[in-house]
């Protein structure tokens, strides 16, 4: 599977897919830079009068509710509807799912637009699954990612979306397929928005492989995990880690990727 | 007092307080990263439907008016009211006080919600005190922090808030207590939003010590000053300073802190 | 001309002009830091109630439509009208011109307020010129900057604005004068918002030389190109490039600037 993943990384570099992001204020700069570093072309746009047009020229849409408000939620609904209409992949990042009833309500609305991929941390994924039956949970990722595997499988079934739960181990789940990734570094959780970056990269990989979203999702997470692991090994703290990560996304070489990536797949439940 | 301060730093690292920020677009990424680096857990949120709920789960609220507009000001008023109602500390950072009549008007409205702590540069603090009697001043910090000590004492008396005026020397004033901090580096003024970072950190320290806001404020400023001083000694300019600062906030050790921190307290006016 | 440019760089450092930015969320932090690093004083503000007042105290206005929406567009119109009224230079950065009909419409509205300087990449400049006769183009800068020289000359004539088209070579055009700059590094295109940084710096230089906008524009682009070239020579990728660039803007020395800058001017068409 490593070779397949590396091919996807090259595909992003070669095709420079345009990724339309409706994302939060905190991470816009970093996700734009991460997309540029891996070879993609980011667009951040949220104005109603250009939502349909922007989705139409993009290869994928990424919706991240981090700093949502009423205006932005309507942009998200309009854009995701258009993505579905034009048969383009769209990624939902349900930041802070479970933190407030409003977030849960908005996630419910967005889920109705059938995201192609859902990526969140364990608490967020557990919350989404719970919210669908009416319960909500706290805000921090108090759960490990492995706690969320079963619920992710359930969420994949009910929603039809590829589900990615990130953490110390990242799990990607689609139908009978489950991939596990064991790269990254604990210090990455001390940099804001690397989950958001994961979602943005997932959009880039979905754009170049819209008919293979499981592989797209695995590839994005593998790239980020490996780049993050190299960056952390050079960093003195989360500040330098954030910058070295961009350098690694940009310059990562095949042999280094192959040597470090830890991916395993299990077929069948 | 150094030992007391270090205990607060450890308390933030151990308790990972949730800090709700309603802050400006320019600094959101940096303040989120600074909060994560010192061990806290940042949330940036401003939507009306979740203001009360978000304040309710946070340990402290930080309100920063840097890129204010009508929507955000209403969020700030709702959130600060809720903080007062729930007896949670809230920090006001009056960015650009005195620059425009609108800012002065908004600050007046927010002051009515009784901030627990006010942190600003000398010109901002002088402007706030002036605005309360109807005069306004210019936008840049043309004043040194020591120019603002007397007016800060006045502001502390009339508002009941702990007042922190930052500059070459940082002064923290509460009742009869005045602390002075002499850390930091002039190059820090060439990095955007380190004042905003100071306010955000103050929120984290207030969250773990809500009944000792003077100490919380002194501790936050001491941590930032010391981390900034170390970062500046390694930096080639304001770009690298910004990143090294995050590394220092994350990795600062007790012996290094103790060796460098310059704090003095004077009791009685 | 090199000496003249260096004098402008010193003038910014000495005068610390206040630059009012109405810009996009993605780059606010970077453009604020770039302005601080070169010696200017940035203000980011967009609220209606303070638009006129903020323009009044600033030396120049920079309008960047990157993440535009209805509210922000009205701020841009109000502020640019006020800049014209008060005879202050204002810079238009038409990010994503040609990407959507909405952007083209907004650019048309803003062009009616007579920008002093227009800075964009080749595709944006070509789009603007085209938009004035009703056609639109794609979003990426698929054109080289030299493709846009003739159309820039045309745009300069019809609009009266100094036109700067940035790319591998930057061209600045005003009346019969054309300057070409050959600094910079290809990796700069993998960092988000360096075009926006170019526009922000242009605002700072326009503020200290409002009656010499051609020279202001050339100086800003020369500073950014030279600083970027030094930064790229030290960087391991786009992450570190972004930070080293700020260090260079801050610390650049005359002898290094003189040694590296490549500027040529051609008078007459």
């Amino acid at each position: 599977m490593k070779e397949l993943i590396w091919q996807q990384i090259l595909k992003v570099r070669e095709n420079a897919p345009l990724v339309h992001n409706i994302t939060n204020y905190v991470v816009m700069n970093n996700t734009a830079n991460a997309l540029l570093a891996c070879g993609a072309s980011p667009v951040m746009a949220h104005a109603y009068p250009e939502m349909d047009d922007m989705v139409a020229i993009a290869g994928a849409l990424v919706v991240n509710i981090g700093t949502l408000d009423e205006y932005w939620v309507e942009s998200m609904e309009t854009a995701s509807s258009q993505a579905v209409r034009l048969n383009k992949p769209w990624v939902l990042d349900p930041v802070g799912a479970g933190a407030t009833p409003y977030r849960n309500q908005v996630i419910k609305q967005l889920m109705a637009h059938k995201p192609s991929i859902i990526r969140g941390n364990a608490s967020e994924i557990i919350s989404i699954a719970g919210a669908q039956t009416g319960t909500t949970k706290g805000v921090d990722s108090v759960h490990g990612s492995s706690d969320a595997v079963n619920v992710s499988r359930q969420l994949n079934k009910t929603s039809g979306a590829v589900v990615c739960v990130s953490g110390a181990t990242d799990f990607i789940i689609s139908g009978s397929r489950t991939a596990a990734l064991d790269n990254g570094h604990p210090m990455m959780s001390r940099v804001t928005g690397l989950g958001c970056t994961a979602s943005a990269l997932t959009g880039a990989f979905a754009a170049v492989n819209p008919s293979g979203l499981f592989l797209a999702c695995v590839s994005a997470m593998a790239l980020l995990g490996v780049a993050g692991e190299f960056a952390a090994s050079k960093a003195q703290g989360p500040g330098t880690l954030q910058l070295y990560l961009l350098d690694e996304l940009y310059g990562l070489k095949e042999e280094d990727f192959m040597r470090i990536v830890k991916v395993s797949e299990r077929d069948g439940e």
Side-chain angles (χ1 to χ4, degrees), chain A:
Chain A
M1 193 177 204
K2 292 175 182 192
E3 283 75 19
L4 264 176
I5 295 175
W6 184 253
Q7 283 170 24
Q8 302 305 308
I9 292 172
L10 293 182
K11 221 167 160 182
V12 170
R13 289 183 182 174
E14 283 155 19
N15 294 9
L18 184 66
V19 180
H20 177 193
N21 300 271
I22 307 179
T23 188
N24 70 73
Y25 302 123
V26 185
V27 305
M28 280 196 193
N29 186 265
N30 288 83
T31 50
N33 272 325
L35 285 166
L36 281 168
C38 80
S41 182
V43 162
M44 271 69 182
H46 65 284
Y48 299 160
E50 67 176 359
M51 276 303 87
D52 281 353
D53 296 323
M54 202 58 97
V55 174
I57 61 172
L61 169 71
V62 178
V63 170
N64 174 309
I65 66 165
T67 54
L68 82 179
D69 65 27
E70 298 88 339
Y71 185 101
W72 286 69
V73 169
E74 196 166 325
S75 304
M76 292 169 187
E77 292 212 66
T78 304
S80 53
S81 302
Q82 172 76 333
V84 169
R85 198 177 303 122
L86 301 182
N87 211 19
K88 303 201 179 199
W90 81 274
V91 181
L92 174 63
D93 187 335
V95 179
T100 64
Y102 178 55
R103 278 175 198 251
N104 294 340
Q105 174 56 37
V106 166
I107 289 164
K108 216 169 162 179
Q109 290 167 227
L110 292 171
M111 290 293 289
H113 296 287
K114 294 276 171 202
S116 321
I117 297 171
I118 303 167
R119 195 220 56 83
N121 64 36
S123 293
E124 288 160 351
I125 296 295
I126 290 169
S127 168
I128 292 188
Q132 293 190 317
T133 58
T135 39
T136 61
K137 302 275 157 56
V139 60
D140 291 314
S141 189
V142 291
H143 302 87
S145 51
S146 55
D147 298 346
V149 171
N150 285 333
V151 86
S152 295
R153 203 160 280 139
Q154 201 53 45
L155 182 59
N156 166 249
K157 268 185 201 143
T158 54
S159 70
V162 176
V163 175
C164 171
V165 50
S166 55
T169 302
D170 302 318
F171 295 97
I172 296 95
I173 288 156
S174 179
S176 63
R177 304 182 74 178
T178 302
L181 286 157
D182 279 298
N183 291 103
H185 189 279
M187 206 201 282
M188 292 173 76
S189 68
R190 292 282 118 193
V191 178
T192 194
L194 290 195
C196 308
T197 295
S199 297
L201 295 185
T202 300
F205 283 82
V208 297
N209 194 7
S211 62
L213 295 181
F214 176 76
L215 177 60
C217 199
V218 172
S219 302
M221 298 309 291
L223 173 60
L224 184 63
V226 169
E229 201 165 316
F230 278 117
S233 74
K234 296 171 186 173
Q236 285 80 48
T240 42
L241 190 155
Q242 179 173 22
L243 273 289
Y244 295 164
L245 175 61
L246 296 172
D247 288 357
E248 295 295 330
L249 288 173
Y250 174 77
L252 189 62
K253 289 190 172 55
E254 182 173 6
E255 53 180 18
D256 293 322
F257 178 78
M258 289 301 181
R259 186 164 47 84
I260 280 254
V261 67
K262 292 197 201 77
V263 58
S264 63
E265 194 187 342
R266 185 165 34 129
D267 204 1
E269 301 175 41

